[in-house]
Amino acid sequence: AKETSPPSRQAREVADAAARAAAKQEAEADEAADPLTLWPAQRAVRDEPEAPAVTVLPRLARQLKPHQEDAVRFMWNACLAPTRQEAHSREEHGCVLAHSMGLGKSLSAIAFLHTALARASTPTGSHYVQFINGKEPPPDVREKPTALLVVPTSVCRQWEREFKRWLVDATGAQVGESSFSWMLLDASLTSL
């Protein structure tokens, strides 16, 4: 077997420079991308403060095909609400996204999850996904929102790769202005 030596310092520097250039190019493309707005900005009204628009992360939005944008909107409307005002009166519910293999459900789901968990906060810092029967949670019970994605064991590693593909840049840094983390829990259900 042929032994390989670790890359030289110069080779690492070249690779790092290429990764930084690729990340910069991606960031510039993100800035130029049209936003996918799920809720428009809301002006301050009486006792309601101004609220910024809720948009899909540009890195994700610019990759979505029209049917995937429709899927993100479908999940958003089903799980949160078509409008910010309706979110305050919604009852808990969800949806199922089903389609043929290879049509982009993973990217659609990642775009929805990232938006709902990391980009959809109230002006007071609560996350809309944590509202219970339309009510904002009290400040003492607010935590970072979470979601559980249940997939067959055979595709767990693929989901992990998909999250990294869409949410980590060429330098290994997470994209977007807020932190979003995921954890792979490989568990098998043997009986009900």
Side-chain angles (χ1 to χ4, degrees), residues 23-36 56-63 69:
K24 181 180 178 190
Q25 188 176 22
E26 286 285 323
E28 289 169 355
D30 293 345
E31 286 182 31
D34 290 331
L36 174 56
V56 173
L57 183 71
R59 170 76 42 99
L60 301 173
R62 69 184 175 86
Q63 299 296 329
E69 289 181 5

Side-chain angles (χ1 to χ4, degrees), residues 57-79:
L57 183 71
R59 170 76 42 99
L60 301 173
R62 69 184 175 86
Q63 299 296 329
L64 294 170
K65 294 179 173 90
H67 70 278
Q68 292 169 309
E69 289 181 5
D70 291 344
V72 173
R73 284 190 183 98
F74 165 75
M75 290 183 281
W76 186 264
N77 293 344
C79 295

Side-chain angles (χ1 to χ4, degrees), residues 140-153:
D140 59 329
V141 296
R142 292 182 195 160
E143 295 180 7
K144 187 174 182 180
T146 59
L148 175 64
L149 185 61
V150 179
V151 298
T153 303

Side-chain angles (χ1 to χ4, degrees), residues 32-98:
D34 290 331
L36 174 56
T37 303
L38 301 174
W39 284 341
Q42 175 181 294
R43 288 186 283 190
V45 180
R46 286 187 223 112
D47 57 342
E48 291 289 322
E50 183 176 325
V54 175
T55 60
V56 173
L57 183 71
R59 170 76 42 99
L60 301 173
R62 69 184 175 86
Q63 299 296 329
L64 294 170
K65 294 179 173 90
H67 70 278
Q68 292 169 309
E69 289 181 5
D70 291 344
V72 173
R73 284 190 183 98
F74 165 75
M75 290 183 281
W76 186 264
N77 293 344
C79 295
L80 282 106
T83 67
R84 195 181 313 259
Q85 292 73 25
E86 290 175 78
H88 292 286
S89 61
R90 78 169 181 89
E91 294 187 17
E92 295 180 47
H93 53 282
C95 66
V96 173
L97 182 64

Side-chain angles (χ1 to χ4, degrees), residues 16 56 86 89-90 98 110 112 114 119 132 135 147 163 191:
D16 289 347
V56 173
E86 290 175 78
S89 61
R90 78 169 181 89
I110 289 169
F112 166 74
H114 185 269
R119 297 176 61 87
I132 299 171
K135 304 266 189 285
F163 276 104
S191 63

Side-chain angles (χ1 to χ4, degrees), residues 131-175:
F131 280 36
I132 299 171
N133 294 324
K135 304 266 189 285
E136 191 169 350
D140 59 329
V141 296
R142 292 182 195 160
E143 295 180 7
K144 187 174 182 180
T146 59
L148 175 64
L149 185 61
V150 179
V151 298
T153 303
S154 60
V155 297
C156 283
R157 297 279 178 225
Q158 179 60 31
W159 271 95
E160 187 174 34
R161 285 190 296 274
E162 289 290 324
F163 276 104
K164 288 178 182 174
R165 175 182 179 191
W166 298 114
L167 297 174
V168 176
D169 73 13
T171 66
Q174 186 168 343
V175 297

